[in-house]
Amino acid sequence: MNPQASLIFATSLLLGTTITISSNHWIMAWTGLEINTLAILPLISKSHHPRAIEAATKYFLTQAAASALVLFSSMTNAWHTGQWDITQLTHPTSCLILTSAIAMKLGLVPFHFWFPEVLQGSPLTTGLLLSTIMKLPPITLLYMTSPSLNPTLLTTMAILSAALGGWMGLNQTQIRKILAFSSISHLGWMAIIIIYNPKLTLLNFYLYAVMTTTVFLTLNTIKVLKLSTLMTAWTKTPSLNAMLLLTLLSLAGLPPMTGFLPKWLIIQELTKQEMAPAATLISLLSLLSLFFYLRLAYCTTITLPPHTTNHMKQWRTNKPTNVTIAILTTMSVMLLPISPMILTIV
């Protein structure tokens, strides 16, 4: 892609995100979401492969429908209350429509069908943007409207997301689809706590973004897209693959990794809110996603392909590991001991 075009799209992404997260008026928030959508579309379809064009079309249609619902929700609220302020969303119908719109934007169950398909049709770097920075504006809108939202609806959607995200990722062989279902189950954890303690949702999102960025950048370095090639990629950069193993276990939420921190705090907060059954259920459902993280981890370093003689061994690269990946991997694995400091910052 032309460097000037890439610069324009990257700037537009940052601009759209900044406009949405800093706006008070619904129309400005909607404008930011639209700029974001239009900026990411060329990045999804830049390979001109039919799969990429299909992914871009699916993304455009779902995001356009979600944006229309955001406008509809805000106009309904303004009609009944005379308020265009985001934090003044008080009309029950508007709250329900907005929850559906944001769920569609994020890929929460039952509006999750587009996300694995779009991620599968995108390059790894665009997939990284879709999984992290594109989720920030909708989560910010949820954060700002959280006091007015329906707790039962959000809890139901969250538990279903954790269940389907884990269950549908079990038999996947494409790594981008596995990461898409991983994202859906993580969104379930964020959605269940947003009403009771919105700061925990943001903390969960930041740590999830760090861990997912690490995984995507590592996969981009070793040029791996499916499990069968992941099995033979360990000869390229053995140390990076070993760290990918730890990052995947962190993403699964195993102690003593960073990924355990948000899950621990969310379960603690749900128990305080007398929602122990919901906490138990979502914890058990996270075991489903733990299975496919373990399978990824197993393919990364622990196992060899079945017929080693038939596989060309890949040359070990002499290039040093990217500093960004090194820093992100360290953060993905080792932040749990300093959790009291993180909690004072958040």
Side-chain angles (χ1 to χ4, degrees), residues 77-135:
N77 190 62
W79 178 265
H80 285 280
T81 64
Q83 285 288 347
W84 280 100
D85 197 313
I86 294 178
T87 52
Q88 302 297 320
L89 189 81
T90 49
H91 194 258
T93 313
S94 300
C95 293
L96 286 174
I97 298 170
L98 182 82
T99 308
S100 309
I102 299 294
M104 205 181 284
K105 282 265 175 206
L106 289 170
L108 268 173
V109 173
F111 306 105
H112 64 289
F113 297 101
W114 63 272
F115 190 53
E117 299 295 326
V118 169
L119 217 60
Q120 180 58 32
S122 312
L124 279 170
T125 42
T126 311
L128 166 60
L129 291 174
L130 283 168
S131 300
T132 54
I133 197 169
M134 296 301 289
K135 299 275 165 90

Side-chain angles (χ1 to χ4, degrees), residues 270-324:
L270 285 173
T271 315
K272 279 183 196 167
Q273 299 290 343
E274 297 180 355
M275 290 180 66
T280 311
L281 190 55
I282 202 165
S283 308
L284 288 172
L285 290 171
S286 70
L287 292 175
L288 286 169
S289 42
L290 171 64
F291 177 81
F292 63 72
Y293 288 124
L294 283 176
R295 194 173 67 161
L296 269 175
Y298 189 72
C299 291
T300 307
T301 43
I302 305 169
T303 187
L304 286 173
H307 305 292
T308 41
T309 47
N310 298 343
H311 280 280
M312 283 287 287
K313 285 280 189 292
Q314 300 190 30
W315 286 97
R316 184 175 296 200
T317 55
N318 287 325
K319 284 192 303 182
T321 303
N322 192 333
V323 179
T324 315

Side-chain angles (χ1 to χ4, degrees), residues 4 14 16 18 30 32 38 47 57 86-87 101 104 109 126 133 165 170 200 216 218 233 247 253 278 289 312 330 334:
Q4 284 88 353
L14 287 172
T18 312
W30 172 80
L38 293 174
S47 68
T57 311
I86 294 178
T87 52
M104 205 181 284
V109 173
T126 311
I133 197 169
L170 290 179
L200 274 187
F216 269 105
T218 306
T247 310
S289 42
M312 283 287 287
T330 311
M334 297 184 178

Side-chain angles (χ1 to χ4, degrees), residues 5-326:
S6 297
L7 179 65
I8 289 170
F9 297 139
T11 315
S12 302
L13 271 177
L14 287 172
L15 176 70
T17 305
T18 312
I19 287 174
T20 303
I21 63 178
S22 58
S23 59
N24 285 319
H25 198 284
W26 274 114
I27 298 296
M28 286 304 291
W30 172 80
T31 310
L33 290 171
E34 286 299 301
I35 292 172
N36 255 2
T37 303
L38 293 174
I40 197 83
L41 283 172
L43 299 177
I44 297 173
S45 59
K46 68 181 176 185
S47 68
H48 301 299
H49 190 274
R51 194 81 192 247
I53 305 298
E54 182 191 342
T57 311
K58 283 179 178 171
Y59 185 76
F60 174 71
L61 291 173
T62 48
Q63 298 300 307
S67 293
L69 282 177
V70 167
L71 265 187
F72 182 49
S73 156
S74 53
M75 285 167 71
T76 310
N77 190 62
W79 178 265
H80 285 280
T81 64
Q83 285 288 347
W84 280 100
D85 197 313
I86 294 178
T87 52
Q88 302 297 320
L89 189 81
T90 49
H91 194 258
T93 313
S94 300
C95 293
L96 286 174
I97 298 170
L98 182 82
T99 308
S100 309
I102 299 294
M104 205 181 284
K105 282 265 175 206
L106 289 170
L108 268 173
V109 173
F111 306 105
H112 64 289
F113 297 101
W114 63 272
F115 190 53
E117 299 295 326
V118 169
L119 217 60
Q120 180 58 32
S122 312
L124 279 170
T125 42
T126 311
L128 166 60
L129 291 174
L130 283 168
S131 300
T132 54
I133 197 169
M134 296 301 289
K135 299 275 165 90
L136 183 56
I139 282 182
T140 314
L141 289 178
L142 265 190
Y143 180 88
M144 288 195 279
T145 55
S146 59
S148 339
L149 299 177
N150 184 337
T152 316
L153 177 65
L154 271 174
T155 306
T156 310
M157 286 167 84
I159 287 172
L160 284 174
S161 296
L164 277 170
W167 181 47
M168 293 173 77
L170 290 179
N171 62 347
Q172 298 295 334
T173 55
Q174 296 287 340
I175 294 178
R176 283 170 293 183
K177 277 197 173 175
I178 291 177
L179 288 171
F181 288 118
S182 138
S183 178
I184 291 168
S185 60
H186 274 272
L187 281 169
W189 281 87
M190 293 176 214
I192 201 166
I193 202 67
I194 186 110
I195 290 177
Y196 307 106
N197 193 339
K199 285 187 175 177
L200 274 187
T201 297
L202 287 186
L203 174 67
N204 194 347
F205 177 73
Y206 297 147
L207 294 179
Y208 162 75
V210 167
M211 294 182 286
T212 306
T213 307
T214 311
V215 172
F216 269 105
L217 290 178
T218 306
L219 293 172
N220 196 39
T221 305
I222 58 180
K223 297 287 178 282
V224 164
L225 292 175
K226 51 184 189 286
L227 287 180
S228 55
T229 48
L230 186 61
M231 284 183 182
T232 57
W234 65 274
T235 49
K236 259 188 185 177
T237 45
S239 53
L240 189 59
N241 272 38
M243 291 313 290
L244 178 60
L245 164 84
L246 291 176
T247 310
L248 286 165
L249 294 181
S250 179
L251 205 51
L254 290 184
M257 317 281 187
T258 307
F260 177 60
L261 173 62
K263 285 189 166 57
W264 173 30
L265 293 172
I266 288 171
I267 290 169
Q268 190 180 7
E269 184 64 33
L270 285 173
T271 315
K272 279 183 196 167
Q273 299 290 343
E274 297 180 355
M275 290 180 66
T280 311
L281 190 55
I282 202 165
S283 308
L284 288 172
L285 290 171
S286 70
L287 292 175
L288 286 169
S289 42
L290 171 64
F291 177 81
F292 63 72
Y293 288 124
L294 283 176
R295 194 173 67 161
L296 269 175
Y298 189 72
C299 291
T300 307
T301 43
I302 305 169
T303 187
L304 286 173
H307 305 292
T308 41
T309 47
N310 298 343
H311 280 280
M312 283 287 287
K313 285 280 189 292
Q314 300 190 30
W315 286 97
R316 184 175 296 200
T317 55
N318 287 325
K319 284 192 303 182
T321 303
N322 192 333
V323 179
T324 315
I325 299 179

